[in-house]
Amino acid sequence: MLETLSTYLDEESSLAHTATRMGLHRNTVSSRIDRIQRLLSADLADPETRLALHLGCRTITP
């Protein structure tokens, strides 16, 4: 899930670009992002939330 979120944020919240980069189907990425939002109780449509999560992902991944 961390890789999906990190890639999604790196790809500027584009499901299509994330799917291409990860070699997944767009619907798979969409399902994962929905699940991540539910698990974190986070709104990825909010720019400040995306920024905080993106910085967090960068902190814990090499």
Side-chain angles (χ1 to χ4, degrees), residues 17-33:
H17 290 156
T18 302
T20 300
R21 184 167 157 193
M22 295 184 73
L24 299 171
H25 192 277
R26 185 182 180 281
N27 291 343
T28 301
V29 173
S30 179
S31 295
R32 288 182 184 183
I33 294 301

Side-chain angles (χ1 to χ4, degrees), residues 12-58:
E12 300 178 3
S13 304
S14 169
L15 294 173
H17 290 156
T18 302
T20 300
R21 184 167 157 193
M22 295 184 73
L24 299 171
H25 192 277
R26 185 182 180 281
N27 291 343
T28 301
V29 173
S30 179
S31 295
R32 288 182 184 183
I33 294 301
D34 287 342
R35 184 164 185 234
I36 289 166
Q37 287 188 98
R38 284 193 314 274
L39 290 170
L40 297 178
S41 297
D43 178 12
L44 292 179
D46 177 47
E48 290 190 20
T49 300
R50 282 195 316 270
L51 175 61
L53 289 171
H54 204 181
L55 290 172
C57 287
R58 295 261 174 143

